[in-house]
Amino acid sequence: MRYLPLVLVLAASPAMAQSPELEEACVAVAQNFLLVPAIKTGVVQSFPELEPPGARLTYTTRDDPKPSDFTNEIECEFMSATPPLTLTRFCISDTCYSENEQEPENRRRYLEVKALMDRQK
């Protein structure tokens, strides 16, 4: 049996998970925003060491997804990398939602999702 050098194997795979808490919280943001009980995730990345800490992922709501179905993206930012995380901003596709958004509907969607996330604590 032939083995590939470890560097090549790691370069071909997605980055390892850094913060399960940030990743799970971002999945919950997506579920709450999309009004779905579950989503399936593709590539998931988290950045607890950045300021602000956050996570991003690809997802689909299809029941039996193929790899090509994971085209939707969400990015989430939090006040802290450890609980309580406190959602500060999230972006789905090209639209961002936060307390400081100029567009009233986007600010309202953020406040709704934040309220739902705060209830889950």
Side-chain angles (χ1 to χ4, degrees):
M1 177 180 253
R2 246 180 108 204
Y3 293 97
L4 292 175
L6 183 57
V7 174
L8 291 177
V9 173
L10 290 176
S13 65
M16 297 294 291
Q18 296 296 313
S19 172
E21 294 87 5
L22 290 174
E23 295 167 8
E24 290 170 16
C26 198
V27 168
V29 168
Q31 288 175 251
N32 285 319
F33 181 81
L34 298 169
L35 301 173
V36 294
I39 63 170
K40 297 181 182 61
T41 58
V43 176
V44 180
Q45 300 172 332
S46 57
F47 306 94
E49 70 278 13
L50 296 181
E51 191 60 43
R56 65 183 182 166
L57 55 98
T58 59
Y59 69 90
T60 185
T61 56
R62 294 186 181 215
D63 286 332
D64 190 20
K66 297 175 179 62
S68 61
D69 291 333
F70 294 94
T71 57
N72 301 305
E73 294 180 28
I74 183 170
E75 297 179 31
C76 304
E77 294 178 2
F78 302 92
M79 258 189 214
S80 171
T82 57
L85 302 175
T86 309
L87 179 67
T88 58
R89 181 175 186 254
F90 67 96
C91 301
I92 294 186
S93 299
D94 293 333
T95 305
C96 292
Y97 305 85
S98 75
E99 192 169 359
N100 301 323
E101 290 298 319
Q102 297 300 312
E103 181 64 41
E105 280 191 37
N106 292 355
R107 187 172 46 252
R108 171 67 187 215
R109 295 293 91 75
Y110 162 79
L111 293 171
E112 290 171 352
V113 171
K114 184 177 181 310
L116 292 168
M117 297 296 292
D118 289 346
R119 291 177 195 167
Q120 293 177 351
K121 290 181 183 176

